[in-house]
Amino acid sequence: MKKSGLKIFLLVVVLGVGLVVGNLGFSMYSEYTSTGSGTEETVVVEIEQGETTKDIAAKLKESGLIDYEIVFYLKVKSLDVASKLRYGTYTIHKESGLVEIIDSLISGGAMKESEMFTIPEGYTIELIAKKLEKEGFCTEADFLEAVQKDYDYWFLKDIPENDAIPYKLQGFLYPETYAIEEGMSAEDIVNIMLRQFDKEFTDDLRNQLQKQGKSVFEVVIEASIIERETKLDSEKAMVAGVIKNRMEIGMKLEIDATTLYPLTNGLYNKNRVFYVDLEIDSPYNTYMYEGLPVGPIANPSILSIEAALNPKDHTYFYYHTDKEKNDGSHIFTETYEEHVNTLN
């Protein structure tokens, strides 16, 4: 090809690319600024709890309401309304403008009827199941069946197959207040709890796991103990420090909550452990076996998880409830003698 012909060819290519880019840019700008015409035809879009702006954009594109996911994302960001987008079932007119679509998602006018359900911190799967049935969301049996099914979340990958663990999801159903929609199945309810755990367990926490060489399962076991042992946020790292100190010297944890879990079948309807109870042969009994119990004994909050990853550096090996203060706080001591003396 002669030089003049090559120049003409390159010019045509550049002009062609410029025309395509220009048309794409114009099309994207038109969608970004469009107020929409709104046809009679409608599209139903289901936005699930926990879905991100990008997830919503993908659904809107799939339903034909928008052409460019990035344009929707940028519009939401420019309006600073990402935190206001609500989940639910929406009926949206085709050819609606972005602002109209976003307004619909914010107003929640097409949202399903829902009721609030709260999981207290330190609740077990067994307690959650009973509470769900009592409040009319699903039967206890359906929920206990649902938690035995397989769910695809990264944090469930390293849970060992062990028949001694009654429920493999124990520890991962995040304690929070949820909006349970009308018609939700027990599996749907399990999923929103698992999604919340995924949301709470940030990349920073995952990095801490990797640096410490721990598994998420191990950390959740420890966090569940901390959750059951103290209700005071200020003490969580202290209790974690006691656990760390005992494990480092090969001392049994001897923690009541771990023994109460099998004794009460996860219901914690018994407050005290008697000497006869310590004879229960269970891998959860830390009076009988060294190390952590075989699995989590409750569902911990993120503060307990953070405490498990960041135990307080101290020299205490014992603690008990401060009966004089009677505020849920504990007295921490270094030796068993001190521990016994402060009991009186």
Side-chain angles (χ1 to χ4, degrees):
M1 183 182 292
K2 294 183 179 181
K3 288 185 178 180
S4 58
L6 179 60
K7 288 181 179 179
I8 292 172
F9 174 75
L10 291 175
L11 180 60
V12 170
V13 170
V14 170
L15 288 173
V17 171
L19 184 62
V20 171
V21 172
N23 286 336
L24 177 62
F26 179 77
S27 179
M28 294 175 75
Y29 177 77
S30 297
E31 181 163 288
Y32 186 88
T33 57
S34 173
T35 56
S37 56
T39 64
E40 290 297 322
E41 189 177 355
T42 59
V43 176
V44 176
V45 181
E46 180 81 26
I47 307 299
E48 296 181 9
Q49 187 176 13
E51 289 192 311
T52 65
T53 304
K54 291 182 179 179
D55 295 330
I56 295 171
K59 285 192 171 181
L60 293 174
K61 182 178 179 180
E62 184 181 356
S63 65
L65 288 169
I66 64 173
D67 292 321
Y68 306 103
E69 295 176 39
I70 186 63
V71 172
F72 175 81
Y73 180 81
L74 292 174
K75 190 71 172 181
V76 168
K77 188 175 181 180
S78 71
L79 295 173
D80 194 25
V81 293
S83 63
K84 298 180 181 179
L85 298 178
R86 303 175 68 183
Y87 65 93
T89 303
Y90 297 85
T91 301
I92 302 175
H93 290 279
K94 278 195 171 183
E95 297 185 24
S96 295
L98 277 185
V99 172
E100 186 179 347
I101 293 173
I102 292 170
D103 283 344
S104 296
L105 297 176
I106 291 174
S107 66
M111 205 169 180
K112 285 182 178 178
E113 288 294 323
S114 62
E115 293 184 37
M116 307 310 289
F117 176 75
T118 298
I119 302 175
E121 295 170 351
Y123 251 44
T124 59
I125 281 176
E126 295 89 337
L127 286 169
I128 294 171
K130 287 189 175 297
K131 192 171 191 286
L132 282 166
E133 179 167 289
K134 182 179 179 181
E135 297 183 20
F137 291 103
C138 67
T139 67
E140 179 181 351
D142 283 348
F143 186 76
L144 293 179
E145 182 181 350
V147 296
Q148 299 286 24
K149 296 183 182 296
D150 292 326
Y151 297 88
D152 187 22
Y153 292 90
W154 67 269
F155 49 84
L156 302 178
K157 304 297 183 185
D158 65 352
I159 297 177
E161 292 294 333
N162 191 328
D163 292 338
I165 301 174
Y167 302 103
K168 65 180 293 184
L169 298 186
Q170 192 77 275
F172 297 96
L173 301 186
Y174 194 77
E176 183 60 273
T177 296
Y178 297 98
I180 308 297
E181 295 179 359
E182 182 184 356
M184 267 191 172
S185 67
E187 287 182 48
D188 293 331
I189 295 172
V190 171
N191 258 311
I192 64 173
M193 296 173 184
L194 292 173
R195 281 200 295 268
Q196 187 64 28
F197 182 95
D198 193 18
K199 179 180 177 181
E200 296 287 343
F201 209 101
T202 62
D203 289 340
D204 179 57
L205 293 178
R206 293 181 72 171
N207 289 335
Q208 288 186 54
L209 274 181
Q210 188 173 12
K211 288 178 182 178
Q212 295 182 29
K214 293 182 176 181
S215 71
V216 65
F217 185 64
E218 177 185 357
V219 169
V220 169
I221 293 175
E222 188 172 337
S224 71
I225 296 172
I226 295 167
E227 194 69 63
R228 291 298 312 185
E229 284 292 284
T230 180
K231 298 302 180 184
L232 300 183
D233 294 342
S234 59
E235 287 190 346
K236 291 183 185 298
M238 289 288 290
V239 173
V242 171
I243 294 172
K244 176 175 176 288
N245 290 345
R246 289 188 176 188
M247 291 185 67
E248 282 183 345
I249 65 170
M251 178 180 174
K252 291 177 182 177
L253 293 183
E254 297 185 343
I255 291 175
D256 288 358
T258 64
T259 306
L260 284 170
Y261 177 69
L263 277 173
T264 64
N265 294 316
L267 298 179
Y268 289 106
N269 50 6
K270 180 176 180 177
N271 296 321
R272 295 183 59 189
V273 175
F274 297 96
Y275 284 113
V276 66
D277 297 329
L278 304 183
E279 299 301 316
I280 181 174
D281 190 1
S282 166
Y284 287 92
N285 184 356
T286 56
Y287 282 90
M288 182 173 289
Y289 297 101
E290 289 184 10
L292 294 171
V294 69
I297 61 170
N299 293 284
S301 66
I302 199 64
L303 291 178
S304 292
I305 291 172
E306 289 173 347
L309 285 167
N310 301 281
K312 184 77 173 177
D313 187 15
H314 57 62
T315 57
Y316 299 125
F317 284 84
Y318 302 90
Y319 60 90
H320 63 78
T321 304
D322 191 331
K323 294 181 180 178
E324 287 189 13
K325 288 185 178 179
N326 196 29
D327 59 357
S329 63
H330 293 80
I331 296 174
F332 293 82
T333 53
E334 294 184 358
T335 68
Y336 183 70
E337 288 72 24
E338 289 176 318
H339 176 66
V340 172
N341 288 336
T342 55
L343 280 171
N344 300 325

